[in-house]
Structure formats: C-alpha cells, structure tokens
Amino acid sequence: SQQGEEDPQALSIQEGENATMNCSYKTSINNLQWYRQNSGRGLVHLILIRSNEREKHSGRLRVTLDTSKKSSSLLITASRAADTASYFCATDAITAGNKLTFGGGTRVLVKP
Amino acid sequence: SQTIHQWPATLVQPVGSPLSLECTVEGTSNPNLYWYRQAAGRGLQLLFYSVGIGQISSEVPQNLSASRPQDRQFILSSKKLLLSDSGFYLCAWSGVKEPQHFGDGTRLSIL
C-alpha cells in the first residue's frame, strides 16, 4: 500500500474559499513534501516540512505535520482559479534513502 | 539555474516495439535521477532510481530497464512494449535530501 494517502480524493470550492487536504503515512519519515501537478504536466515542488517541524508557511500555503498521528495537512487560503490542480504529498522515509513515496493525490477544482 | 529536459512529450507505439525515453539535466553535477510512471488520475510509482553513472536501482519488476550512460542523462528503455506499459512517464532529479524537480513528462500510448 502507498506510504502517503491523501484525503479527500477530490475537492470543489469557490474562488476565495480555503482548501484543505490531508495526508496520512505509515512509517517514520525524514520529511514530508507537497507537490502540485497541473493536468498533463510534471510535478512542481511546493513545500517541504521536516520531521522536527510542526508548521510551515509559504505565501498562501500552510502545511502542518503531526508525527504522532503520522499525518499532514495542506491549506490553501483565498483560493484562485489558477490553484486548480492535483496536489500530492510525498514522504521521505527514514529507511528509504532519498526516495519519495507519493500518495494518490487530491484533485482540487476552484470555480471562478 | 538547473533545468530538466524530457522527450518526447507524447509517443504512440505498437505492442512489441522497442522504447527509448531520454531525460537530461543541466546546471548541476551528480544528481540523483528518477523515473516514475503515473496511471491516469493516480499517484506516482517509482520505477528506477540512480545515484551515479551506471548505478541503477529497480523498484518494481517490470518490462522496462533504465541506464545512466552520463552523469546527467537517464534513459528508460524496453525491448518489447506491452499494452500495460501505457502511461505518463516522469523523470526527476534531486540533490541529496532535497526536493525533487520534475520534467514535463512523456505520454506513452501503446496500440
């Protein structure tokens, strides 16, 4: 099974609303990363949070990490139509070297 | 700055034909290189991982192989494609313990 699992699988919101998606994982990690993918394109790195960090911000993005629950959340505030994309969490497990394990992703649709 | 190039963008191949997808990285030395496959609407599955020239780790048994003939070149190959090889193939690079940077992918359709 996948190390990272996102929830929900799909999310539809109005422009200006906040979008929250969650990621759960199974094993101990060095860090957790969030990526964005526009349809038919490669992934773009958004933010990395290390296992000793609890919260991180980057612009309109806020990521939290709870290692006791093995979960993370990504919040996009004041969403825009251009935020429409799929969002993936990826874990860098302690035993996996520099390899990442990706979840199935959350498809976000922001309606204008 | 570093850039990653992946080609072709789309490819249609008949069953049983060979495959060669190429990925090159510029602006960095000794990167870690990765090949992923993504099924429609799904996450990424790591296929191959390389930490240096000639060093390839295969993550899943399959019909594909990878080679790294030069420091910044990563090639994904098959001698005989199967229908199940269809998908979206992504190449990525990273430094040690750094985020991965992805190419724009190759959409492979097998007929």
Side-chain angles (χ1 to χ4, degrees):
Chain A
S1 60
Q2 297 213 60
Q3 166 76 323
E5 295 290 345
E6 283 94 338
D7 168 56
Q9 291 187 341
L11 184 60
S12 181
I13 56 175
Q14 292 295 137
E15 210 166 22
E17 294 179 341
N18 295 341
T20 301
M21 59 210 86
N22 304 294
C23 169
S24 60
Y25 58 92
K26 293 183 170 64
T27 63
S28 296
I29 60 172
N30 290 312
N31 62 65
L32 185 145
Q33 303 174 32
W34 285 91
Y35 288 80
R36 166 198 167 117
Q37 183 181 35
N38 285 43
S39 181
R41 303 298 300 275
L43 278 71
V44 175
H45 178 258
L46 294 177
I47 197 163
L48 180 153
I49 186 164
R50 303 193 187 282
S51 60
N52 62 353
E53 297 176 308
R54 293 295 166 259
E55 187 171 312
K56 206 161 183 180
H57 298 256
S58 177
R60 293 184 295 112
L61 305 179
R62 173 179 169 256
V63 168
T64 64
L65 179 64
D66 187 335
T67 52
S68 67
K69 295 181 179 178
K70 291 187 168 59
S71 67
S72 174
S73 68
L74 170 66
L75 168 69
I76 305 173
T77 60
S79 63
R80 304 167 182 168
D83 294 328
T84 294
S86 291
Y87 292 83
F88 296 89
C89 71
T91 51
D92 178 354
I94 286 176
T95 56
N98 205 39
K99 295 178 287 186
L100 298 179
T101 302
F102 285 82
T106 294
R107 293 184 301 282
V108 175
L109 172 64
V110 181
K111 294 178 279 188
Chain B
S1 64
Q2 302 92 352
T3 56
I4 180 168
H5 303 280
Q6 190 181 339
W7 68 92
T10 58
L11 189 59
V12 181
Q13 291 284 101
V15 170
S17 64
L19 173 74
S20 181
L21 301 181
E22 188 161 344
C23 173
T24 59
V25 181
E26 296 177 357
T28 187
S29 297
N30 197 31
N32 292 334
L33 295 172
Y34 313 83
W35 277 112
Y36 292 90
R37 178 168 56 205
Q38 184 178 30
R42 304 292 301 275
L44 277 66
Q45 179 186 38
L46 181 63
L47 302 176
F48 298 98
Y49 166 58
S50 173
V51 296
I53 296 175
Q55 300 178 61
I56 310 292
S57 296
S58 176
E59 293 299 304
V60 293
Q62 61 202 304
N63 185 44
L64 302 169
S65 62
S67 61
R68 184 170 177 173
Q70 299 180 47
D71 181 44
R72 290 167 287 176
Q73 183 185 28
F74 207 22
I75 298 172
L76 183 69
S77 304
S78 173
K79 292 181 180 178
K80 288 177 108 173
L81 286 166
L82 306 172
L83 281 174
S84 58
D85 291 324
S86 291
F88 190 50
Y89 288 84
L90 288 157
C91 180
W93 76 271
S94 76
V96 178
K97 299 297 181 189
E98 291 182 2
Q100 293 182 17
H101 306 276
F102 286 80
D104 280 336
T106 295
R107 176 78 55 198
L108 176 63
S109 299
I110 311 300
L111 304 178

